[in-house]
Amino acid sequence: MTSSDRSDLVDRARSLLEEARAAEDALDSAAAMMFRLGGDVARADTRSRAARSGAHVAAERDLVGGLLDELGSITLAADRLGQEISRATDGAAAGADRGAAEARAELRSVRRIVQAAGGRARECVWMGELAATRVREFAEFELLYSQASRHLDDDELDAADAALPRLIALDRALLSGEVGAMLDELKFRTMTSRG
C-alpha cells in the first residue's frame, strides 16, 4: 500500500465519520422534536388537537425515515471501505500499516455512531406510529359516534347498540374528557330510546 493510498483511505474514512456525525446531529434534533410532538398528541383531548400535532409528527417521522436511509447508506459505504482496506492490506503483517489501522479506527467510530443513531431513529419511528394510531382512534371514534347517532335518529336501535363496544374501547384508549362525555350522551340516548 502506497502512502497516497493510505492517505486516501484515511481521508475517505474521516469523510464518512463526518457524514455520520452530521446525520447523528440531525437525528438528535428530529428526535427531540418528535418526542415533544408525540407528547402533545398523547395529551391531546380532542381530535383536532391530536390531528394538528399528528401532522407535525408525520413530517418529523418522514424526516427520520430519510435519516435512517442516510445512515444505511453510510453503513454500506463503511462496509465497502472496510473491504477495500482489507484487500489493500492482504498479506501485510497485522498492524504493519499505520494508515490502514487509522482508517479502521475511523470506521469503528462510524459504525458506533450509526448504531446509536439508528436506535434513536427506530424509537422516533415507534413514537410516530403511536401518534398516528391515536389520531386514527380519534377519527374512528367520531365516525362511529356520528353513525350511531344517525341510527338512533332513525330508530335503528340494534345498529346503534352494535357500535357501543368499539366506542367504549376507543374511549378507554383515548382517555379524553370530551370523548367520555360524548359516549355518556350516546349511552343515555340509547337507553332512553329503548323506553
Side-chain angles (χ1 to χ4, degrees):
M1 176 185 279
T2 67
S3 174
S4 69
D5 290 341
R6 266 182 259 150
S7 177
D8 179 55
L9 291 174
V10 172
D11 288 345
R12 288 169 52 201
R14 284 185 182 139
S15 175
L16 275 176
L17 183 58
E18 289 171 16
E19 287 180 42
R21 286 181 177 147
E24 180 184 38
D25 289 345
L27 186 64
D28 287 344
S29 175
M33 179 62 76
M34 177 74 82
F35 281 102
R36 186 187 66 74
L37 291 169
D40 291 347
V41 172
R43 288 184 300 278
D45 58 351
T46 65
R47 178 180 176 214
S48 62
R49 286 187 185 136
R52 198 170 30 252
S53 295
H56 295 296
V57 168
E60 287 298 316
R61 187 182 59 206
D62 291 345
L63 174 65
V64 168
L67 290 170
L68 268 172
D69 292 344
E70 187 176 336
L71 290 172
S73 296
I74 291 170
T75 299
L76 290 174
D79 291 345
R80 283 192 303 270
L81 186 55
Q83 291 169 358
E84 195 174 326
I85 292 168
S86 293
R87 281 193 303 274
T89 58
D90 260 0
D97 193 338
R98 205 177 108 233
E102 189 177 342
R104 283 188 185 106
E106 298 286 340
L107 288 179
R108 280 192 298 275
S109 295
V110 168
R111 288 186 177 104
R112 278 193 302 272
I113 288 170
V114 167
Q115 184 178 17
R120 286 191 302 280
R122 284 184 288 284
E123 289 173 359
C124 287
V125 169
W126 174 75
M127 175 69 78
E129 289 168 0
L130 287 176
T133 297
R134 184 162 173 86
V135 171
R136 278 192 304 273
E137 286 174 342
F138 267 112
E140 182 183 0
F141 181 88
E142 286 189 3
L143 176 68
L144 288 174
Y145 174 84
S146 65
Q147 288 173 347
S149 290
R150 274 195 308 272
H151 290 312
L152 288 173
D153 293 342
D154 296 339
D155 285 330
E156 297 171 354
L157 303 180
D158 290 338
D161 283 345
L164 282 175
R166 181 62 184 152
L167 286 167
I168 291 168
L170 289 167
D171 175 46
R172 289 180 182 151
L174 294 169
L175 298 171
S176 162
E178 181 184 55
V179 165
M182 291 169 71
L183 182 59
D184 288 343
E185 181 264 334
L186 189 67
K187 287 178 187 177
F188 180 76
R189 283 185 61 203
T190 302
M191 287 177 12
T192 58
S193 294
R194 292 214 178 267

